[in-house]
Each structure stands twice: as C-alpha cells, then as structure tokens.
Amino acid sequence: MSVKQLASQAIKNLRGTPFVFALLVINIIVLIGFAFTLHEVSKSTARRDAIIQSCIDRSRP
C-alpha cells in the first residue's frame, strides 16, 4: 500500500468519525503552537545572551 493510498484511506475513515477528526485537528494546532512558542523563546534567549555579552564586553577596561 502506497503512502497516497494510506492517506486516502485514513481521510475516508476520519470522515466517518467527525469527533476524532476534530481532536486530530486540535492536537495538530496545539503542537504547532508549542513549536512556535519554543522557537520564540529560543530567539529571545539568544537576544538576551547577546545583550549580556555586549554588556560584559563594554565593562572590561
């Protein structure tokens, strides 16, 4: 069974159970939200580290 056939069969099965499909969609949205949040925290930490390093560099005689 190819991936395309498997995906097609999975979609057909999910159409019969809208509650499970809704849960799947909500879970995917939550995972995307977590990934975005982790990405933003990582960028914030990098900015903070750069600011701290520049402060350290300026404070040295």
Side-chain angles (χ1 to χ4, degrees):
M1 182 177 269
S2 72
V3 174
K4 185 177 179 180
Q5 290 172 337
L6 184 62
S8 176
Q9 186 64 31
I11 290 172
K12 285 179 187 176
N13 289 337
L14 286 174
R15 283 185 185 159
T17 55
F19 180 72
V20 173
F21 181 69
L23 285 176
L24 179 66
V25 170
I26 290 169
N27 283 334
I28 290 171
I29 291 170
V30 168
L31 288 174
I32 290 170
F34 281 145
F36 177 74
T37 301
L38 287 174
H39 178 71
E40 292 299 313
V41 167
S42 174
K43 286 185 349 185
S44 175
T45 302
R47 283 192 305 265
R48 185 195 67 204
D49 291 346
I51 291 169
I52 290 171
Q53 188 62 45
S54 70
C55 291
I56 290 170
D57 292 342
R58 281 191 236 158
S59 68
R60 291 183 180 158

